Every structure is written in C-alpha cells, then in structure tokens.
Amino acid sequence: MKYGFGIDLGGTTVKLAFFNDEGTMLNKWEIPTVTADGGSRILPDIAASIRAHLDKLGIADSEVLGVGIGVPGPVNGKGVVNKCVNLGWGVFNIHEELGKLTGFPVKAGNDANVAALGEYWKGGGQGCENMIFATLGTGVGGGIVVDGKLVHGVHGAGGEIGHLVLNREETEPCGCGKCGCVEQYCSATGIVRMAEKHLAATDAPSSLRELFPLTCKDVFDHAAAGDAVAADILEKVYAYLGEFLADLCAVLDPEAVVLGGGVSKAGLPLLDGARRYFDKYAFHGTKGVRFELASLGNDAGAYGAFKLALSEFGA
Ligand SMILES: [Zn+2]
C-alpha cells in the first residue's frame, strides 16, 4: 500500500487530505493560507504540514507516491504557475519548488480543473470518460474531461467556460474585463444581478422586493414558493444556462454534465430548468447527455489533486 496527498490551495485556507492508493481519503485538515510577503510562506507551510502528518502516523517517505495540488490560477503541464493574483504569486515552477520542500514528486493543476477531475473520479461524473463540470459559485468555473483526461490547455486556461460570451448586447463588464460572459448570468452573483435588473424593470408585485440584501438562494426559494417574478428571473437564468451547456456539448459530446458550486444547491429545479432549454438549443446528436449534481462538495479539489498525483506517480 502506498499513500499520497491531495491539496486544494485556496485564497484563505489550504485543504489537505491524505489518501491511500486505492483512492480512500484517510484524513483531511486545513491550514490558513498566509498571503503576506508575496505568498512566500504558502509552500513551506504546506511542506511542514505534510511532514508533521507523516511523522504523526509514522509513515516512511518510501511509502509516499507523491503530492497533487490544485492552485487558484493557470498552471501548465510542466508545473509553471502563471500568476495567482489571490496569493500574490508571480511566475515560477511549483513542481520544482514544492518538490524540493517536501522531497516528493508534485503534480499541479488549476483548482477548477482539479475539482472537475475529483468529480469525474469519485463524484457526479463517476463512470464517464467524457464530462463537463461547471461550478456555478461566486463566478463560473469548470473543467473538461475528454477520453478520461483533463484538458489543461497550452496556457493552463483550458476549461475556463465561465468566460464564453453569451450576450453581445451586454454593457456591464464581467470581472475578466469582457462583457456578456456566462459568469454574468449563471453565477450566484450573476443571478442576483439579473434579479435586481428585472425587479427594477417591472412594477409587478414580488416578495423579493422586501429582501435586502437579495441573495441567489432567495430567488430560488421564492420561485419555489410561487412568486411569479422570481420564476421569471429563473427562466432567464435557465435559458442562458441551457444555451451555454448546449454549445459546450456540441463541441465535446460528453456523457455527463455535472453542475457544482453554491448555485447547484438549488438541486432538481436547476437541473430541470437547464435541461428544458438545453433540449431547445442542443444539437440533436448530443441530446442523450446526463445532467448530474456534483456530489463531493468541498472535497472535490482534494480528491482531484490526489488523482493527479496518482495518475502521474502511481504504480
Ligand atoms: Zn468574463
């Protein structure tokens, strides 16, 4: 039996998990992400935490196959991180740096891609060889698995599906600087933005008007409770989401589309709504695709990170 680590590096916490080579998560814990001094303490802190864990369990270095890590920014296949603004990081090779600090081989990927790999391996996409994972959270991220392999892309920007342009008439800018991105309509913030615009444009009575601040969950809850305006807002969201997923499926023709992130907590109404518009916009050859909810929650990144290491360094 060999072991390894899966690490999900976020802007405020680092989630670490220890696995055996059968893919069982044995332990998980968190340490704070210290972003002071250009993020220079982050990797030494991770290495120290790994070392302390092995010492505690009495596991020898020879029993460790490697370390996988998801980072919040673009990473290429050689491990070159190309600026993680949240962490204060510039350009450097994380395989080499974290490898030196831990003494173990390291494989890194972009955090959204790595979470997709986790869902593919142990979550909503289990059993698929081709899968699209879309995280509908504060923003929209994603990851794409083709023939069992994650698409990293040449610049490590593969799977940045949140920045496909859905609306060329949009005048408000997305966080990326463009206008009309998926993220502006299908993220939690995008849904609230659309709700506020919709409410301002109509005099129709709505229970949403009494809520400050309005949240994405409110829109789903009030639609479920029968508020017609909330339901109209969600129809717009579903139309954008269905069109977006139909376009992706025309390119990739996957077995499953897996939806994760905070918005996916809306559950079946979200899947059903997206499906209705998907069926309207999809190319006929892709209509058999399954829609699934992500099932690993916050652990998807750690599972995917370990899977990266297991695929690269496992027996
Ligand atoms: Zn954008």
Side-chain angles (χ1 to χ4, degrees):
M1 177 78 68
K2 287 228 173 191
Y3 303 93
F5 292 87
I7 297 168
D8 183 9
L9 171 52
T12 51
T13 56
V14 186
K15 297 186 182 73
L16 298 99
F18 186 60
F19 291 85
N20 66 23
D21 59 5
E22 288 172 347
T24 306
M25 188 189 280
L26 303 170
N27 314 97
K28 63 172 172 174
W29 67 100
E30 293 182 9
I31 60 172
T33 306
V34 179
T35 53
D37 301 325
S40 60
R41 281 180 52 192
I42 295 171
L43 295 183
D45 285 352
I46 290 171
S49 189
I50 285 176
R51 179 55 52 197
H53 194 74
L54 292 173
D55 289 348
K56 190 173 79 183
L57 299 181
I59 287 177
D61 284 13
S62 58
E63 296 177 79
V64 177
L65 63 89
V67 176
I69 182 167
V71 303
V75 193
N76 75 11
K78 295 195 173 79
V80 177
V81 174
N82 186 0
K83 294 181 189 165
C84 296
V85 278
N86 293 344
L87 306 180
W89 282 0
V91 179
F92 70 100
N93 190 311
I94 192 170
H95 291 176
E96 289 172 8
E97 294 293 319
L98 190 59
K100 253 185 274 174
L101 290 165
T102 59
F104 301 123
V106 173
K107 183 73 183 173
N110 166 267
D111 57 358
N113 285 342
V114 166
L117 187 63
E119 287 290 340
Y120 158 76
W121 187 38
K122 295 284 186 182
Q126 267 184 87
C128 295
E129 284 295 292
N130 295 273
M131 182 196 90
I132 295 166
F133 176 58
T135 46
L136 314 176
T138 313
V140 173
I144 289 160
V145 174
V146 174
D147 296 336
K149 289 216 164 65
L150 198 54
V151 177
H152 294 282
V154 178
H155 308 94
E160 282 290 359
I161 56 180
H163 301 284
L164 294 179
V165 173
L166 275 180
N167 178 7
R168 284 180 294 123
E169 312 298 319
E170 180 61 67
T171 52
E172 288 180 28
C174 174
C176 75
K178 300 190 298 167
C179 292
C181 291
V182 171
E183 188 164 294
Q184 292 181 277
Y185 311 98
C186 301
S187 66
T189 24
I191 292 169
V192 170
R193 187 185 76 100
M194 287 217 292
E196 285 168 348
K197 281 182 85 161
H198 189 97
L199 287 166
T202 167
D203 290 330
S206 168
S207 49
L208 292 178
R209 294 188 192 280
E210 294 148 29
L211 304 170
F212 300 98
L214 182 63
T215 67
C216 176
K217 183 172 184 299
D218 292 332
V219 181
F220 282 98
D221 287 349
H222 286 243
D227 188 277
V229 172
D232 287 346
I233 294 163
L234 287 185
E235 281 303 301
K236 287 188 182 173
V237 172
Y238 296 150
Y240 279 120
L241 188 57
E243 180 185 350
F244 157 57
L245 296 175
D247 288 351
L248 284 177
C249 286
V251 179
L252 296 159
D253 187 21
E255 290 147 279
V257 169
V258 180
L259 300 180
V263 176
S264 72
K265 292 195 179 124
L268 284 181
L270 176 77
L271 288 190
D272 292 345
R275 179 95 222 181
R276 267 190 288 120
Y277 286 94
F278 176 87
D279 286 340
K280 179 174 173 188
Y281 296 123
F283 174 65
H284 65 84
T286 66
K287 284 188 178 176
V289 65
R290 279 164 33 210
F291 277 36
E292 304 278 354
L293 294 169
S295 65
L296 297 177
N298 288 333
D299 291 340
Y303 273 101
F306 175 67
K307 175 63 172 158
L308 273 185
L310 184 65
S311 301
E312 196 79 7
F313 312 121

